[in-house]
Amino acid sequence: MDFSDHGTPQQQHTPPDPDKAGENPGVPLRQLLLAVGDPLVDVLAAPAGLDVQVDNVVIADPEDEVDAFAGDLVLLIGARGAAARQLVRAAAERGAAAVAVKVNAAARAQAEEPSYPPPQGWGAPAPARPSADEVGLLRGAARDAGVALLAVRPDVRWDQLQALCRSVVDDARLTGETDLGESAGDLFSLAQTIASLTGGLVAIEDAASRVLAYSSGEEVDELRRLSVLGRQGPEQYLALLREWGVFSRLRAGHEVVHIAEHPELGIRPRMAVGVHAGDQPLGTIWVQKGSGPFAEGAEEALLGAARITALHMLRHRTEVTAGLRLREDLLAGLLEGRIEAAALADSVEVSPERPALVAAFSLGAGRGPKSERNRSGLELQRRRMADLIAVHTAAYRKNALVTVLGGRIYVLVPDLRTPAAAAEASVLALARKTVEAARGLIGSGVQAAVGSPVESPDDISQSRQEADRVLDAMGRDLDADVATIGDVRARVLVGETLAHLRANPGLRDPRVEALLRHDAQSDSDLVRSLLAYLEAFGDVRAAAEHLHIHPNTLRYRVRRAEAVSGIDLAEPDQRLFTHLQLLMERDR
C-alpha cells in the first residue's frame, strides 16, 4: 500500500472506463463474499441485497474527501462515531456499492490496541473500534442510505483485505461472467469434444447415474436412448451393469472399462471411465460405439477427459455448495442477531412489516458420552433430519429457510400474514407433523420448540433464543415432543435457575451438602426420600406411594434427614432452597 509524507494511506482507484459501460466488469457482492467472507467480514446491512455490482475497491480516510464512484467497495480506515456514519452516507451518495468498517467481533467498545499495525509516521493512536451502540447507528446509517455495510474483523489488515478483494474483482474482469458458472453448458461442450476425440457418442453422468450432459449423433442404441430421454440410466440396464461388475471396476480405478455388445438387449459396444476426485467417485463418462470404429487413441483421450471432467464437476459442486453456505451463513447471522434481514432479501421474500418466528429441532435421545462412530452417526441422522424438515417446511411455506446451527436445525418462517396466535398454532402443528415423520424415518428421539412471533424479522434472534430455552429444558428433564414457551414456561424458568446455581458454587447450603455426604457414605436413601417429600408438598402418603415404601418409613427418613443436616423444613426459605439444591444435584 502506498503512503504519503504524512503517512496517510492514499486512495487507490481507477475510474470506470466510459467505453466499457454496461459490460459489468466487476463482480456481485455475493460472489465477493464467497471469496473473502467468513472469517474476514460479516454482513451488517444489505438494503439492496447481495447482487449489487462491485467494480473496484478503494480505501478512504476520515481526513480525506470521499471520492467513490458507482460500484466501489469503500474501506473506511480509522473512522468511528459520527465521522464513520458521515462517510457511509457520503459514499452511498456517490454510488458506492458497499462500505466496510472495522468492528470488534463482540462489539466491545474500548479496545486499547489497534487491530492493524499503524504505518510508520502515524503519530496518533488508532481510534477505538465501534461499540455495540455504534454498530447499531452505523447499520441504521447504511440502511437509510441504501448501501451495503460490511463489518471487518479486528485482526484483519486493511492492505491485505484490499489486495484480496481487488484480486477477486480483477479475476472476474479477466475471466468474464460466462466463465463463472454454467457448468452444465461447459459439460455439454466438453461432451461434444470427447465425442470428436473418441469417435463415439458420449454421455456424462454423476455418481447416481443421472445424465448431466451428452453429445449429439445418430446410431443411438436403446440404453443411450432411454438414458437421454429419462436423464438417468434405466434401472433394468443399471442392474445388469452392476451384475457384470462394471460399476465396481469404474469406482475402484482409473482405467478404461470395455462393455461388450449385447444385441439381444439393444446395447452396442461401449467404453467407460470413472471420474474421480482423489479416491472419491464423482461420476462416469460413457462412450457408445457409433457406425464406425472408435478413433485411434480413444482410450488415452478418454482418460484425459476424465481428469478435465472432474475439474468441471468439482467447480460446479463448489459453486453450488458455496452459494448455499453463504445463504446459511447469512441465516445464521440473522438468527444470532449479527445481521439484518435485508441481507437475505435475495434468498427469501422477507417483509419488514410482518411478523416472523423460529422453530428449532434437535435429536433429543442418546445424550451423554458417545464414541467417534456414534458421533458420526448422530451427524448423519441430523443431516437426514434437516433434509426431512426442509421438505416439510417447503410444503408449508415456500419462503421459509432451514439451516443447521450448533447441532440444531432451525426453521425461519417469515412474513406471517395471520394473527400471531394463529400463526404460532399453525407452525406448532407443522412441528408436530415433522417430529412424527422424523421419528419414523430416523428411529431416534426428536424434539421441537416454536419461538414466539416477533414484529420484525430483524428481531428474529429473540424468537430463536426462546426456542432454544425450550429445547434446553427438554434436554434436561422435560418429557415433551413439541412445545412453546407458553406451554412450559415454569419448567424453563426452574431449569435456568438450576443452571445458574450450577454455575455459581458459592450458592450452596452446607447443610444440604452434609446430607449428600451422609447418603454417599452410609448408602442411605435420605436424599431421594426428602426430595420426593418436597415435590409432593409434604403429602407423605403421595410421596411414599411414589417411592413404593410405607408412609411411616418416609416420615422416619424425613426426620432423619433433618437431624443429619440441621435443616429446619418448617422454615419456608430453608425448605425452598433445599428443594432447589436437591433438584440441582439430581440433574447432575
Side-chain angles (χ1 to χ4, degrees):
M1 192 161 57
D2 183 33
F3 297 99
S4 69
D5 293 339
H6 298 288
T8 304
Q10 298 299 300
Q11 296 186 41
Q12 302 180 26
H13 189 278
T14 303
D17 187 345
D19 294 333
K20 295 183 179 181
E23 293 186 9
N24 293 328
V27 61
L29 179 59
R30 178 188 304 276
Q31 186 175 328
L32 187 66
L33 289 170
L34 288 175
V36 302
D38 185 49
L40 300 184
V41 299
D42 285 320
V43 180
L44 287 184
L50 296 177
D51 287 327
V52 294
Q53 195 81 0
V54 176
D55 299 332
N56 211 341
V57 185
V58 300
I59 287 179
D61 185 271
E63 297 182 358
D64 297 332
E65 181 182 356
V66 175
D67 187 21
F69 292 87
D72 281 345
L73 167 60
V74 182
L75 310 181
L76 297 185
I77 287 186
R80 66 185 180 94
R85 298 196 297 276
Q86 183 178 353
L87 285 171
V88 168
R89 286 189 287 265
E93 289 173 0
R94 294 174 180 266
V99 180
V101 296
K102 189 156 282 193
V103 174
N104 185 291
R108 290 186 292 268
Q110 286 79 30
E112 297 180 358
E113 296 295 330
S115 58
Y116 53 91
Q120 190 175 16
W122 283 21
R129 292 184 289 270
S131 67
D133 290 341
E134 179 58 26
V135 168
L137 293 173
L138 279 169
R139 175 182 287 169
R143 185 188 299 117
D144 293 341
V147 65
L149 179 65
L150 307 181
V152 181
R153 306 294 172 85
D155 54 349
V156 177
R157 289 176 57 95
W158 284 114
D159 54 343
Q160 293 173 336
L161 180 61
Q162 185 197 31
L164 182 57
C165 291
R166 287 178 69 92
S167 70
V168 175
V169 174
D170 290 343
D171 286 347
R173 185 177 290 117
L174 289 173
T175 57
E177 186 175 352
T178 57
D179 195 38
L180 296 176
E182 301 302 320
S183 295
D186 293 339
L187 283 178
F188 274 98
S189 175
L190 182 60
Q192 200 65 45
T193 300
I194 299 170
S196 300
L197 293 173
T198 60
L201 305 176
V202 173
I204 300 175
E205 298 181 359
D206 64 10
S209 298
R210 291 184 293 256
V211 177
L212 302 178
Y214 51 90
S215 65
S216 60
E218 299 179 357
E219 300 293 331
V220 176
D221 67 6
E222 185 68 5
L223 174 54
R224 178 177 173 84
R225 186 183 69 82
L226 293 175
S227 298
V228 171
L229 289 177
R231 301 308 296 268
Q232 187 169 13
E235 181 54 41
Q236 65 269 29
Y237 286 102
L238 296 180
L240 286 174
L241 293 173
R242 284 192 290 268
E243 182 181 337
W244 296 338
V246 174
F247 284 119
S248 59
R249 291 173 64 191
L250 290 171
R251 286 193 298 268
H254 298 270
E255 78 278 3
V256 174
V257 177
H258 289 266
I259 298 96
E261 183 175 17
H262 291 271
E264 73 282 7
L265 299 174
I267 298 179
R268 299 180 66 119
R270 268 175 175 70
M271 293 188 301
V273 66
V275 180
H276 296 80
D279 295 329
Q280 180 184 0
L282 299 179
T284 309
I285 304 176
W286 300 91
V287 185
Q288 178 215 307
K289 184 176 179 296
S291 56
F294 289 124
E296 186 178 353
E299 287 195 22
E300 184 179 354
L302 193 54
L303 289 172
R307 300 186 184 99
I308 299 300
T309 303
L311 296 178
H312 281 273
M313 295 175 77
L314 283 174
R315 186 185 70 176
H316 177 66
R317 179 180 295 188
T318 301
E319 288 171 356
V320 172
T321 302
L324 291 174
R325 186 175 66 247
L326 175 62
R327 190 178 76 165
E328 290 198 356
D329 288 345
L330 292 171
L331 178 55
L334 181 64
L335 293 175
E336 293 172 343
R338 293 186 286 106
I339 67 171
E340 60 176 10
L344 281 165
D346 299 317
S347 304
V348 61
E349 297 176 6
V350 177
S351 171
E353 292 82 22
R354 289 200 175 97
L357 61 75
V358 170
F361 296 79
S362 71
L363 291 171
R367 293 183 296 273
K370 299 177 179 66
S371 67
E372 200 64 40
R373 172 179 292 185
N374 286 340
R375 281 196 292 269
S376 300
L378 182 64
E379 184 56 38
L380 177 61
Q381 284 185 326
R382 187 177 292 120
R383 189 66 261 174
R384 292 176 65 194
M385 187 170 73
D387 293 339
L388 181 144
I389 291 170
V391 170
H392 279 265
T393 303
Y396 169 77
R397 179 69 62 83
K398 67 178 182 179
N399 63 344
L401 289 178
V402 178
T403 190
V404 180
L405 182 62
R408 289 176 174 173
I409 297 108
Y410 294 93
V411 178
L412 167 61
V413 185
D415 202 16
L416 298 175
R417 300 172 183 271
T418 56
E424 184 178 351
S426 177
V427 176
L428 197 61
L430 169 68
R432 290 196 179 97
K433 179 180 178 181
T434 305
V435 165
E436 182 179 354
R439 286 189 166 181
L441 175 69
I442 299 172
S444 179
V446 179
Q447 295 172 312
V450 178
S452 298
V454 292
E455 291 300 318
S456 166
D458 284 325
D459 299 324
I460 203 66
S461 61
Q462 300 172 19
S463 183
R464 181 249 173 147
Q465 290 169 6
E466 191 174 87
D468 277 337
R469 292 172 65 193
V470 176
L471 277 185
D472 288 342
M474 289 178 171
R476 286 189 297 264
D477 59 359
L478 188 60
D479 185 18
D481 295 337
V482 181
T484 67
I485 190 70
D487 299 327
V488 294
R489 190 182 304 275
R491 186 67 261 176
V492 169
L493 293 175
V494 170
E496 291 173 350
T497 300
L498 297 179
H500 179 72
L501 289 178
R502 279 190 291 272
N504 292 272
L507 297 176
R508 302 286 189 277
D509 189 331
R511 293 171 293 187
V512 177
E513 294 183 327
L515 179 61
L516 292 166
R517 286 194 302 270
H518 176 273
D519 249 18
Q521 294 168 1
S522 62
D523 197 26
S524 58
D525 208 10
L526 301 183
V527 169
R528 191 167 74 98
S529 300
L530 179 57
L531 184 56
Y533 173 79
L534 292 171
E535 290 188 325
F537 299 100
D539 187 332
V540 173
R541 292 190 177 278
E545 183 178 351
H546 174 74
L547 294 173
H548 305 291
I549 61 176
H550 194 277
N552 287 340
T553 302
L554 179 61
R555 292 188 182 95
Y556 167 77
R557 290 180 180 178
V558 171
R559 290 196 300 269
R560 180 64 178 155
E562 287 185 290
V564 168
S565 64
I567 297 170
D568 182 4
L569 295 178
E571 210 282 317
D573 291 340
Q574 292 188 41
R575 187 170 63 246
L576 172 62
F577 198 83
T578 297
H579 192 182
L580 287 173
Q581 192 167 339
L582 290 180
L583 285 173
M584 179 189 70
E585 295 297 337
R586 183 189 66 182
D587 291 348
R588 189 194 302 276

